Amino acid sequence: MDAMLKDQVAVVTGGARGIGRCISQALAAQGATVVVADLNAEGAQATANEIAAATGARVEAMGCDVSNVESCNKLIDDTVAKLGKIDILVNNAGITRDKLLARMAPEDWDLVLKINLTSVYACSKAASRYMAKQRSGRIISIASVVGVVGNAGQCNYSASKAGIIGFSKSLARELGGRGVTVNAVAPGFIQTAMTDVLSAEVKEALLKQVPLGRLGQPEEVADAVLFLASPMATYITGQVLNINGGMAMQ
Ligand code: NAP
């Protein structure tokens, strides 16, 4: 069988580690040319080299600060200048600054909204210009179960992730006629640096809410992104794919 993403060009933000790294690996393994974009340019280069060696795909690294709209525009323009086009955009970069609302400083709010949500606006706007012209494209953004059900201590994070869901549904309506699909993936609690910081008690309490009884693995999120990017998902747009072990059911 031919690789599913042969001749496709994909950009993954926050691709140097964690879920973004696994997504980059999964897309490259299916033959896509992948741009690993990250704030940590050195980390992105190391990840790109490792994935290229493991998959034989062309993998490029680009430094990018998604909290800066100009940097997002440059990432997409440089990708098209270097690789000729962009077929798949994965908006994955994200951070947490957890605090109860009473203690949440305006900077904690602004930074999380900027990195998690304004980045999705900026990268999607830049990429959709090219995708609309070529009349095909996939935009996939990483939301969170917390954007669906909420979580005490994460008003900023859950607002940003719920924002991604509303944004994706609206853009799916705008771009449907141009052959571009727009979807979100909402992971539950996945084993990465982001969840490694949680205490054993918090993890135990979380697992009680998960019917599958374990944290998810980044590869399990990457598989969902690969599906939405693949020829198996041509008639899916404006959807939220929940990858949460059953933690929230819709
Ligand atoms: P992670 O391990 O912390 O990795 C995040 C990546 O994003 C890092 O490589 C980081 O670079 C990069 N990044 C941070 N700020 C950036 C910026 N301004 N510009 C460009 N890149 C930036 O996180 P993860 O767990 O893989 O999470 C990936 C996505 O999944 C996030 O959107 C997160 O909200 C979402 N998610 C995660 C979970 C979970 O349980 N882990 C659950 C639901 C949703 P540095 O190395 O330089 O910091």
Side-chain angles (χ1 to χ4, degrees), residues 69-90:
V69 172
E70 284 314 309
S71 183
C72 295
N73 289 339
K74 183 166 166 25
L75 167 67
I76 304 299
D77 289 343
D78 286 355
T79 296
V80 175
K82 197 161 191 182
L83 302 171
K85 58 179 185 153
I86 174 168
D87 301 294
I88 299 160
L89 168 67
V90 183

Side-chain angles (χ1 to χ4, degrees), residues 28-46:
Q30 285 301 325
T33 297
V34 177
V35 175
V36 175
D38 207 282
L39 189 57
N40 175 356
E42 261 175 44
Q45 189 61 63

